Amino acid sequence: MSVSYKKLWKLLIDKDMKKKDLREAAAISTSSMAKLGKNENVTTDVLVKICKALKCDFSDIIEILPDDNDES
């Protein structure tokens, strides 16, 4: 399974926010932002901070994608 943060980037566009604005509003590190940009895993704590800053839910910012070789 892999993750996609496309929903997060679309939400930022809708809210007219830049990644820097999100980083400051959610008080997350630049390394966490870099991981998000690469669709890498981040801690639940980071996701909670983002959801609080954007007043949204996990499902509004993250999508779980099946791997190509998954049979489920």
PDB file of all heavy atoms in Angstrom, residues 20-49:
ATOM      1  N   LYS A  20       4.337  26.612   2.379  1.00  0.00           N
ATOM      2  CA  LYS A  20       4.974  27.320   3.496  1.00  0.00           C
ATOM      3  C   LYS A  20       3.915  27.769   4.503  1.00  0.00           C
ATOM      4  O   LYS A  20       4.119  27.683   5.722  1.00  0.00           O
ATOM      5  CB  LYS A  20       5.756  28.528   2.974  1.00  0.00           C
ATOM      6  CG  LYS A  20       6.418  29.338   4.061  1.00  0.00           C
ATOM      7  CD  LYS A  20       7.083  30.577   3.503  1.00  0.00           C
ATOM      8  CE  LYS A  20       7.640  31.409   4.638  1.00  0.00           C
ATOM      9  NZ  LYS A  20       8.023  32.747   4.220  1.00  0.00           N
ATOM     10  N   ASP A  21       2.771  28.251   4.004  1.00  0.00           N
ATOM     11  CA  ASP A  21       1.683  28.680   4.889  1.00  0.00           C
ATOM     12  C   ASP A  21       1.185  27.502   5.728  1.00  0.00           C
ATOM     13  O   ASP A  21       0.938  27.639   6.923  1.00  0.00           O
ATOM     14  CB  ASP A  21       0.511  29.251   4.081  1.00  0.00           C
ATOM     15  CG  ASP A  21       0.913  30.461   3.256  1.00  0.00           C
ATOM     16  OD1 ASP A  21       1.811  31.209   3.682  1.00  0.00           O
ATOM     17  OD2 ASP A  21       0.312  30.660   2.180  1.00  0.00           O
ATOM     18  N   LEU A  22       1.038  26.357   5.084  1.00  0.00           N
ATOM     19  CA  LEU A  22       0.587  25.165   5.800  1.00  0.00           C
ATOM     20  C   LEU A  22       1.606  24.756   6.853  1.00  0.00           C
ATOM     21  O   LEU A  22       1.245  24.443   7.988  1.00  0.00           O
ATOM     22  CB  LEU A  22       0.357  24.012   4.829  1.00  0.00           C
ATOM     23  CG  LEU A  22       0.047  22.662   5.484  1.00  0.00           C
ATOM     24  CD1 LEU A  22      -1.254  22.720   6.271  1.00  0.00           C
ATOM     25  CD2 LEU A  22      -0.001  21.553   4.451  1.00  0.00           C
ATOM     26  N   ARG A  23       2.875  24.751   6.477  1.00  0.00           N
ATOM     27  CA  ARG A  23       3.933  24.355   7.407  1.00  0.00           C
ATOM     28  C   ARG A  23       3.911  25.227   8.659  1.00  0.00           C
ATOM     29  O   ARG A  23       4.013  24.730   9.776  1.00  0.00           O
ATOM     30  CB  ARG A  23       5.302  24.438   6.723  1.00  0.00           C
ATOM     31  CG  ARG A  23       6.419  23.831   7.547  1.00  0.00           C
ATOM     32  CD  ARG A  23       7.741  23.830   6.815  1.00  0.00           C
ATOM     33  NE  ARG A  23       8.206  25.144   6.438  1.00  0.00           N
ATOM     34  CZ  ARG A  23       8.744  26.033   7.277  1.00  0.00           C
ATOM     35  NH1 ARG A  23       8.869  25.754   8.543  1.00  0.00           N
ATOM     36  NH2 ARG A  23       9.156  27.203   6.838  1.00  0.00           N
ATOM     37  N   GLU A  24       3.731  26.514   8.472  1.00  0.00           N
ATOM     38  CA  GLU A  24       3.692  27.433   9.609  1.00  0.00           C
ATOM     39  C   GLU A  24       2.407  27.271  10.420  1.00  0.00           C
ATOM     40  O   GLU A  24       2.442  27.244  11.648  1.00  0.00           O
ATOM     41  CB  GLU A  24       3.843  28.874   9.125  1.00  0.00           C
ATOM     42  CG  GLU A  24       5.225  29.165   8.561  1.00  0.00           C
ATOM     43  CD  GLU A  24       5.333  30.526   7.895  1.00  0.00           C
ATOM     44  OE1 GLU A  24       4.306  31.236   7.767  1.00  0.00           O
ATOM     45  OE2 GLU A  24       6.455  30.877   7.467  1.00  0.00           O
ATOM     46  N   ALA A  25       1.264  27.139   9.752  1.00  0.00           N
ATOM     47  CA  ALA A  25      -0.021  27.016  10.446  1.00  0.00           C
ATOM     48  C   ALA A  25      -0.108  25.720  11.238  1.00  0.00           C
ATOM     49  O   ALA A  25      -0.673  25.688  12.341  1.00  0.00           O
ATOM     50  CB  ALA A  25      -1.172  27.096   9.447  1.00  0.00           C
ATOM     51  N   ALA A  26       0.464  24.647  10.693  1.00  0.00           N
ATOM     52  CA  ALA A  26       0.389  23.342  11.354  1.00  0.00           C
ATOM     53  C   ALA A  26       1.585  23.085  12.262  1.00  0.00           C
ATOM     54  O   ALA A  26       1.602  22.095  12.990  1.00  0.00           O
ATOM     55  CB  ALA A  26       0.300  22.238  10.299  1.00  0.00           C
ATOM     56  N   ALA A  27       2.561  23.963  12.241  1.00  0.00           N
ATOM     57  CA  ALA A  27       3.781  23.820  13.055  1.00  0.00           C
ATOM     58  C   ALA A  27       4.451  22.468  12.809  1.00  0.00           C
ATOM     59  O   ALA A  27       4.741  21.717  13.729  1.00  0.00           O
ATOM     60  CB  ALA A  27       3.467  24.018  14.534  1.00  0.00           C
ATOM     61  N   ILE A  28       4.692  22.178  11.520  1.00  0.00           N
ATOM     62  CA  ILE A  28       5.395  20.949  11.175  1.00  0.00           C
ATOM     63  C   ILE A  28       6.739  21.298  10.542  1.00  0.00           C
ATOM     64  O   ILE A  28       6.939  22.402  10.046  1.00  0.00           O
ATOM     65  CB  ILE A  28       4.563  20.039  10.240  1.00  0.00           C
ATOM     66  CG1 ILE A  28       4.191  20.757   8.951  1.00  0.00           C
ATOM     67  CG2 ILE A  28       3.323  19.536  10.948  1.00  0.00           C
ATOM     68  CD1 ILE A  28       3.456  19.886   7.951  1.00  0.00           C
ATOM     69  N   SER A  29       7.641  20.355  10.565  1.00  0.00           N
ATOM     70  CA  SER A  29       9.006  20.599  10.092  1.00  0.00           C
ATOM     71  C   SER A  29       9.109  20.595   8.573  1.00  0.00           C
ATOM     72  O   SER A  29       8.232  20.075   7.874  1.00  0.00           O
ATOM     73  CB  SER A  29       9.943  19.527  10.660  1.00  0.00           C
ATOM     74  OG  SER A  29       9.640  18.270  10.075  1.00  0.00           O
ATOM     75  N   THR A  30      10.194  21.154   8.096  1.00  0.00           N
ATOM     76  CA  THR A  30      10.438  21.152   6.653  1.00  0.00           C
ATOM     77  C   THR A  30      10.657  19.721   6.162  1.00  0.00           C
ATOM     78  O   THR A  30      10.287  19.396   5.035  1.00  0.00           O
ATOM     79  CB  THR A  30      11.652  22.018   6.290  1.00  0.00           C
ATOM     80  OG1 THR A  30      12.768  21.620   7.074  1.00  0.00           O
ATOM     81  CG2 THR A  30      11.371  23.484   6.541  1.00  0.00           C
ATOM     82  N   SER A  31      11.229  18.865   6.994  1.00  0.00           N
ATOM     83  CA  SER A  31      11.442  17.475   6.575  1.00  0.00           C
ATOM     84  C   SER A  31      10.107  16.746   6.427  1.00  0.00           C
ATOM     85  O   SER A  31       9.940  15.923   5.513  1.00  0.00           O
ATOM     86  CB  SER A  31      12.362  16.729   7.542  1.00  0.00           C
ATOM     87  OG  SER A  31      11.805  16.667   8.828  1.00  0.00           O
ATOM     88  N   SER A  32       9.141  17.041   7.286  1.00  0.00           N
ATOM     89  CA  SER A  32       7.813  16.442   7.147  1.00  0.00           C
ATOM     90  C   SER A  32       7.147  16.924   5.870  1.00  0.00           C
ATOM     91  O   SER A  32       6.509  16.145   5.155  1.00  0.00           O
ATOM     92  CB  SER A  32       6.929  16.779   8.349  1.00  0.00           C
ATOM     93  OG  SER A  32       7.391  16.129   9.504  1.00  0.00           O
ATOM     94  N   MET A  33       7.307  18.204   5.560  1.00  0.00           N
ATOM     95  CA  MET A  33       6.749  18.740   4.310  1.00  0.00           C
ATOM     96  C   MET A  33       7.394  18.066   3.105  1.00  0.00           C
ATOM     97  O   MET A  33       6.720  17.759   2.124  1.00  0.00           O
ATOM     98  CB  MET A  33       6.942  20.251   4.222  1.00  0.00           C
ATOM     99  CG  MET A  33       5.980  21.063   5.049  1.00  0.00           C
ATOM    100  SD  MET A  33       4.237  20.809   4.645  1.00  0.00           S
ATOM    101  CE  MET A  33       4.148  21.383   2.970  1.00  0.00           C
ATOM    102  N   ALA A  34       8.693  17.827   3.195  1.00  0.00           N
ATOM    103  CA  ALA A  34       9.392  17.164   2.089  1.00  0.00           C
ATOM    104  C   ALA A  34       8.861  15.744   1.903  1.00  0.00           C
ATOM    105  O   ALA A  34       8.661  15.301   0.767  1.00  0.00           O
ATOM    106  CB  ALA A  34      10.893  17.139   2.363  1.00  0.00           C
ATOM    107  N   LYS A  35       8.619  15.042   2.992  1.00  0.00           N
ATOM    108  CA  LYS A  35       8.062  13.688   2.909  1.00  0.00           C
ATOM    109  C   LYS A  35       6.676  13.716   2.279  1.00  0.00           C
ATOM    110  O   LYS A  35       6.341  12.864   1.452  1.00  0.00           O
ATOM    111  CB  LYS A  35       7.985  13.038   4.290  1.00  0.00           C
ATOM    112  CG  LYS A  35       9.318  12.590   4.828  1.00  0.00           C
ATOM    113  CD  LYS A  35       9.155  11.916   6.173  1.00  0.00           C
ATOM    114  CE  LYS A  35      10.480  11.430   6.714  1.00  0.00           C
ATOM    115  NZ  LYS A  35      10.312  10.695   7.972  1.00  0.00           N
ATOM    116  N   LEU A  36       5.868  14.688   2.653  1.00  0.00           N
ATOM    117  CA  LEU A  36       4.535  14.819   2.064  1.00  0.00           C
ATOM    118  C   LEU A  36       4.642  15.050   0.563  1.00  0.00           C
ATOM    119  O   LEU A  36       3.895  14.475  -0.223  1.00  0.00           O
ATOM    120  CB  LEU A  36       3.769  15.979   2.719  1.00  0.00           C
ATOM    121  CG  LEU A  36       3.349  15.775   4.175  1.00  0.00           C
ATOM    122  CD1 LEU A  36       2.893  17.096   4.780  1.00  0.00           C
ATOM    123  CD2 LEU A  36       2.249  14.739   4.274  1.00  0.00           C
ATOM    124  N   GLY A  37       5.589  15.882   0.170  1.00  0.00           N
ATOM    125  CA  GLY A  37       5.784  16.187  -1.245  1.00  0.00           C
ATOM    126  C   GLY A  37       6.209  14.982  -2.067  1.00  0.00           C
ATOM    127  O   GLY A  37       5.964  14.921  -3.265  1.00  0.00           O
ATOM    128  N   LYS A  38       6.837  14.003  -1.396  1.00  0.00           N
ATOM    129  CA  LYS A  38       7.297  12.791  -2.077  1.00  0.00           C
ATOM    130  C   LYS A  38       6.334  11.622  -1.865  1.00  0.00           C
ATOM    131  O   LYS A  38       6.663  10.488  -2.202  1.00  0.00           O
ATOM    132  CB  LYS A  38       8.674  12.399  -1.549  1.00  0.00           C
ATOM    133  CG  LYS A  38       9.759  13.410  -1.825  1.00  0.00           C
ATOM    134  CD  LYS A  38      11.048  12.991  -1.171  1.00  0.00           C
ATOM    135  CE  LYS A  38      12.096  14.084  -1.253  1.00  0.00           C
ATOM    136  NZ  LYS A  38      13.294  13.740  -0.473  1.00  0.00           N
ATOM    137  N   ASN A  39       5.164  11.895  -1.289  1.00  0.00           N
ATOM    138  CA  ASN A  39       4.180  10.852  -0.973  1.00  0.00           C
ATOM    139  C   ASN A  39       4.767   9.763  -0.088  1.00  0.00           C
ATOM    140  O   ASN A  39       4.470   8.580  -0.240  1.00  0.00           O
ATOM    141  CB  ASN A  39       3.568  10.236  -2.240  1.00  0.00           C
ATOM    142  CG  ASN A  39       2.595  11.162  -2.911  1.00  0.00           C
ATOM    143  OD1 ASN A  39       1.903  11.945  -2.257  1.00  0.00           O
ATOM    144  ND2 ASN A  39       2.527  11.097  -4.215  1.00  0.00           N
ATOM    145  N   GLU A  40       5.612  10.172   0.852  1.00  0.00           N
ATOM    146  CA  GLU A  40       6.190   9.238   1.809  1.00  0.00           C
ATOM    147  C   GLU A  40       5.353   9.236   3.078  1.00  0.00           C
ATOM    148  O   GLU A  40       4.554  10.152   3.316  1.00  0.00           O
ATOM    149  CB  GLU A  40       7.634   9.625   2.128  1.00  0.00           C
ATOM    150  CG  GLU A  40       8.573   9.499   0.944  1.00  0.00           C
ATOM    151  CD  GLU A  40       9.994   9.914   1.268  1.00  0.00           C
ATOM    152  OE1 GLU A  40      10.272  10.327   2.408  1.00  0.00           O
ATOM    153  OE2 GLU A  40      10.839   9.839   0.359  1.00  0.00           O
ATOM    154  N   ASN A  41       5.576   8.225   3.905  1.00  0.00           N
ATOM    155  CA  ASN A  41       4.832   8.126   5.160  1.00  0.00           C
ATOM    156  C   ASN A  41       5.296   9.188   6.152  1.00  0.00           C
ATOM    157  O   ASN A  41       6.492   9.467   6.257  1.00  0.00           O
ATOM    158  CB  ASN A  41       5.016   6.741   5.787  1.00  0.00           C
ATOM    159  CG  ASN A  41       4.374   5.650   4.974  1.00  0.00           C
ATOM    160  OD1 ASN A  41       3.376   5.885   4.307  1.00  0.00           O
ATOM    161  ND2 ASN A  41       4.947   4.469   5.022  1.00  0.00           N
ATOM    162  N   VAL A  42       4.341   9.771   6.858  1.00  0.00           N
ATOM    163  CA  VAL A  42       4.616  10.694   7.956  1.00  0.00           C
ATOM    164  C   VAL A  42       3.849  10.183   9.173  1.00  0.00           C
ATOM    165  O   VAL A  42       2.968   9.337   9.045  1.00  0.00           O
ATOM    166  CB  VAL A  42       4.198  12.153   7.626  1.00  0.00           C
ATOM    167  CG1 VAL A  42       5.040  12.717   6.502  1.00  0.00           C
ATOM    168  CG2 VAL A  42       2.733  12.239   7.285  1.00  0.00           C
ATOM    169  N   THR A  43       4.163  10.710  10.333  1.00  0.00           N
ATOM    170  CA  THR A  43       3.503  10.248  11.541  1.00  0.00           C
ATOM    171  C   THR A  43       2.054  10.728  11.589  1.00  0.00           C
ATOM    172  O   THR A  43       1.685  11.724  10.950  1.00  0.00           O
ATOM    173  CB  THR A  43       4.226  10.753  12.806  1.00  0.00           C
ATOM    174  OG1 THR A  43       4.131  12.180  12.847  1.00  0.00           O
ATOM    175  CG2 THR A  43       5.685  10.324  12.823  1.00  0.00           C
ATOM    176  N   THR A  44       1.278  10.010  12.361  1.00  0.00           N
ATOM    177  CA  THR A  44      -0.117  10.405  12.560  1.00  0.00           C
ATOM    178  C   THR A  44      -0.173  11.787  13.198  1.00  0.00           C
ATOM    179  O   THR A  44      -1.069  12.575  12.893  1.00  0.00           O
ATOM    180  CB  THR A  44      -0.839   9.375  13.455  1.00  0.00           C
ATOM    181  OG1 THR A  44      -0.638   8.077  12.902  1.00  0.00           O
ATOM    182  CG2 THR A  44      -2.321   9.661  13.546  1.00  0.00           C
ATOM    183  N   ASP A  45       0.779  12.097  14.045  1.00  0.00           N
ATOM    184  CA  ASP A  45       0.838  13.403  14.700  1.00  0.00           C
ATOM    185  C   ASP A  45       0.904  14.528  13.671  1.00  0.00           C
ATOM    186  O   ASP A  45       0.220  15.544  13.799  1.00  0.00           O
ATOM    187  CB  ASP A  45       2.049  13.464  15.637  1.00  0.00           C
ATOM    188  CG  ASP A  45       2.097  14.742  16.454  1.00  0.00           C
ATOM    189  OD1 ASP A  45       1.060  15.084  17.074  1.00  0.00           O
ATOM    190  OD2 ASP A  45       3.154  15.402  16.458  1.00  0.00           O
ATOM    191  N   VAL A  46       1.702  14.338  12.633  1.00  0.00           N
ATOM    192  CA  VAL A  46       1.818  15.347  11.565  1.00  0.00           C
ATOM    193  C   VAL A  46       0.474  15.510  10.854  1.00  0.00           C
ATOM    194  O   VAL A  46       0.019  16.630  10.609  1.00  0.00           O
ATOM    195  CB  VAL A  46       2.935  14.969  10.567  1.00  0.00           C
ATOM    196  CG1 VAL A  46       2.876  15.847   9.329  1.00  0.00           C
ATOM    197  CG2 VAL A  46       4.296  15.066  11.225  1.00  0.00           C
ATOM    198  N   LEU A  47      -0.170  14.385  10.555  1.00  0.00           N
ATOM    199  CA  LEU A  47      -1.467  14.445   9.877  1.00  0.00           C
ATOM    200  C   LEU A  47      -2.522  15.132  10.744  1.00  0.00           C
ATOM    201  O   LEU A  47      -3.338  15.905  10.242  1.00  0.00           O
ATOM    202  CB  LEU A  47      -1.925  13.040   9.487  1.00  0.00           C
ATOM    203  CG  LEU A  47      -1.032  12.306   8.485  1.00  0.00           C
ATOM    204  CD1 LEU A  47      -1.540  10.889   8.267  1.00  0.00           C
ATOM    205  CD2 LEU A  47      -0.923  13.056   7.177  1.00  0.00           C
ATOM    206  N   VAL A  48      -2.487  14.868  12.045  1.00  0.00           N
ATOM    207  CA  VAL A  48      -3.437  15.510  12.972  1.00  0.00           C
ATOM    208  C   VAL A  48      -3.208  17.021  12.985  1.00  0.00           C
ATOM    209  O   VAL A  48      -4.164  17.806  12.939  1.00  0.00           O
ATOM    210  CB  VAL A  48      -3.319  14.916  14.391  1.00  0.00           C
ATOM    211  CG1 VAL A  48      -4.072  15.759  15.411  1.00  0.00           C
ATOM    212  CG2 VAL A  48      -3.821  13.482  14.409  1.00  0.00           C
ATOM    213  N   LYS A  49      -1.960  17.444  13.038  1.00  0.00           N
ATOM    214  CA  LYS A  49      -1.649  18.882  13.027  1.00  0.00           C
ATOM    215  C   LYS A  49      -2.165  19.550  11.752  1.00  0.00           C
ATOM    216  O   LYS A  49      -2.715  20.658  11.799  1.00  0.00           O
ATOM    217  CB  LYS A  49      -0.134  19.108  13.146  1.00  0.00           C
ATOM    218  CG  LYS A  49       0.428  18.820  14.514  1.00  0.00           C
ATOM    219  CD  LYS A  49       1.929  19.040  14.518  1.00  0.00           C
ATOM    220  CE  LYS A  49       2.544  18.797  15.866  1.00  0.00           C
ATOM    221  NZ  LYS A  49       3.994  19.072  15.876  1.00  0.00           N
TER     222      LYS A  49
END
